[in-house]
Amino acid sequence: MIDQQGLNALIAQEEARFIQTNPRAQALAAQSAQHWHNGVPFHWMLDWGTPFPLVVEQAQGATLTSVDGQQFDDFCLADTGAMFGHSPPAVAAALRHQASRGLGYMLPGEDTLKVGALLSQRFGLPYWQVTTTASEANRAVIRWCRGITGRRKILIFNGCYHGAVDDVFVDLQDGAPRLRPSLIGQVADPRQDTVVIEFNDLPALQAALHTGDIACVLAEPVMTNVGMVLPDPGYWAAASAMIRAAETLLIFDETHCISSGPSGESGRIGIAPDLFVIGKAIAGGVPAAAYGFSADVAAAMDRVQRDRPPGHSGIGTTLSANALAMAAMRAILEQVITPENYAQMLPLADRLVAGLREVIAHHGLDWHVAHVGARVEFICTPRPPRNGTEARAAMQGQLEHVIHLYLINRGLLLAPFHNMALISPATTAAQVDRLIAGVEGLAATLSGI
């Protein structure tokens, strides 16, 4: 147990240190508040646990430099958007080349053919479409699944996050579905058409599918947005068999699970979904996402469209598959998301996991470390959670607040959501060791209060 009074004092001490070392960022934050709501162009820029946001001068590889001249070892990497490093040289070169040749024209270019083939080779599904965000891709696949099956309902897992998709903002509380508090201004009640169950609960999945009205199951193969929740051994083999027996479509959202390897977590475990969503990192930070689907799904999509006028699916935006995004995706797929880069990333992730576990054991902390490939997280509870309810119960807001603030003040950036660190091809062993040392200093400090 950590003394609450001591924890409050540590937060105040670290906030004072942050203010003292970031005067330029503080001044810019005050100026920005004149025109940006709460001083930032998007609200999650306030979620870092600091009195005001850091302001970035530049970022390269796995290093970020602030306007106050501080350098940070960046393990957040834009919460996966820059998972392969900031401005990978291949992507930067592709963007420079494309910038003078047109940014978007609602027509395919030569990159289009290459990107389609690369996506199919990498993720094993023959047909693809491109969107601007993973949120948009998830909305699209949900609608396609409803159109194909003629069923209204979708199934999700408690604690999931699939972007800004209203249908999935449903949680379980005491076994009953409830609207997520962050669902603002929604008129229709998603609970009418969204079924939510706990992850790793095969009987609950079987019972939900038995009704025969579930169009699709939308899931991350490893839950990563409520902390990290790993599947039980054999869970997805059994679950996917149940889903197919119910003639329900399986969607894997691997926007985060691309950390597992070049083909994502589904490629690693050998479970083929009907539809597959990938976003954020797929264009190196340029807004882009894609969804792939099987030949059977493609044929069903054609049947749905057969009696409709052209262009009336209501799926997609004008900027989808723009030329700049396609150039970036081609560069990432050809030169960055490679087995060679994962061969560098995964051992460094193992090094971080081993170091964090040693720190936790040395200080007798009731914490544990979870990881999925190049994604590593230390969680302030002794046992790994098996579902969203257990994961939420393990969260300790003030403790996570001081963890992030303490590490930022020592030049170390974790993702602002949970205690998550990403290893990129540009990350070095020295950076990993500095993070381990930072957590060691944090643990010693917490042990003393």
Side-chain angles (χ1 to χ4, degrees), residues 208-222:
L209 293 170
H210 185 68
T211 60
D213 58 358
I214 304 295
C216 62
V217 173
L218 173 61
E220 292 184 290
V222 174

Side-chain angles (χ1 to χ4, degrees), residues 145 215-219 236 239-240 243-244 248-252 271-276:
C145 289
C216 62
V217 173
L218 173 61
W236 276 117
S240 62
I243 292 165
R244 284 182 168 78
T248 295
L249 296 169
L250 173 61
I251 308 164
F252 273 161
I271 302 293
D274 299 293
L275 301 100
F276 180 104

